[in-house]
Amino acid sequence: GLDGPSAVIRLSGPIGIGKSALLFRALAECVRQKIPYRYLDPSARPVDGESVRTTFRELSAEAGARRRALFIDDIHFAREAERWLATHLHELSETTTIFIADRAAISLTWLGGGGIAPFELPLAPLGDAQVTELFDASAVSSETREMASLAAGNPRVPRRTLTSSLRAARSGD
């Protein structure tokens, strides 16, 4: 490898906040720009340090000198792979951008990564005032707002509430 990856971007936050959705948006951009990529999901298939190394080698062979991206979703299911990645970052190509989704904030594991610190992007649920503003702008009914308030901070409820309200508005209900 060269001096290290061009970027490591870690998305962290609670379940359902949208980490995977953001990964998929970045992945779609890779497809659009014809950037070679690999996607690993430890919740669907076991991922360890060796599988990350193998995936990276395959990706490097495909990409050559071009920019590439490695996506690891739900890395909280693969802490051993995370330790390997943090330890070996300095060995990976500088044309690689690594995207990671994790439920936990960055850990001390990353301090051993050869001086390469990931960019941490913590995601948090909307506050009550923000949800109210969003519902006001979308003309969500008072009955629907009351049901949403019972969700006690579940980040999926405002999205589903808005989606349902918009569908109803389009269909004339």
Side-chain angles (χ1 to χ4, degrees):
L2 300 173
D3 294 334
S6 57
V8 177
I9 301 167
R10 286 186 87 259
L11 306 172
S12 62
I15 189 169
I17 197 71
K19 300 175 301 290
S20 296
L22 285 173
L23 282 186
F24 285 122
R25 289 182 99 176
L27 193 146
E29 189 60 23
C30 285
V31 170
R32 190 183 74 71
Q33 293 186 32
K34 296 182 173 66
I35 296 171
Y37 71 90
R38 291 291 185 279
Y39 173 83
L40 300 174
D41 182 358
S43 69
R45 182 175 175 204
V47 173
D48 60 13
E50 187 56 36
S51 61
V52 172
R53 180 192 322 260
T54 300
T55 300
F56 187 78
R57 283 185 185 145
E58 292 169 357
L59 181 57
S60 295
E62 177 186 335
R66 296 181 301 153
R67 174 153 306 287
R68 69 208 63 173
L70 176 61
F71 296 86
I72 306 176
D73 204 353
D74 291 331
I75 202 164
H76 46 274
F77 290 116
R79 291 296 179 210
E80 192 262 319
E82 181 181 32
R83 281 188 294 279
W84 183 91
L85 192 58
T87 303
H88 293 86
L89 277 176
H90 62 282
E91 300 170 14
L92 305 180
S93 169
E94 67 183 14
T95 59
T96 303
T97 302
I98 300 169
F99 296 87
I100 296 171
D102 194 350
R103 289 184 191 162
I106 195 165
S107 68
L108 294 178
T109 300
W110 289 94
L111 295 180
I116 300 164
F119 175 75
E120 181 80 8
L121 182 60
L123 305 176
L126 296 174
D128 290 341
Q130 294 161 318
V131 170
T132 299
E133 184 180 331
L134 191 57
F135 284 176
D136 286 347
S138 304
V140 173
S141 73
S142 59
E143 294 162 342
T144 303
R145 288 173 194 242
E146 187 176 337
M147 287 188 302
S149 72
L150 299 174
N154 182 328
R156 293 182 179 169
V157 172
R159 181 183 64 215
R160 289 185 177 156
T161 302
L162 288 172
T163 302
S164 297
S165 293
L166 292 172
R167 281 188 192 135
R170 279 189 223 127
S171 67
D173 292 345

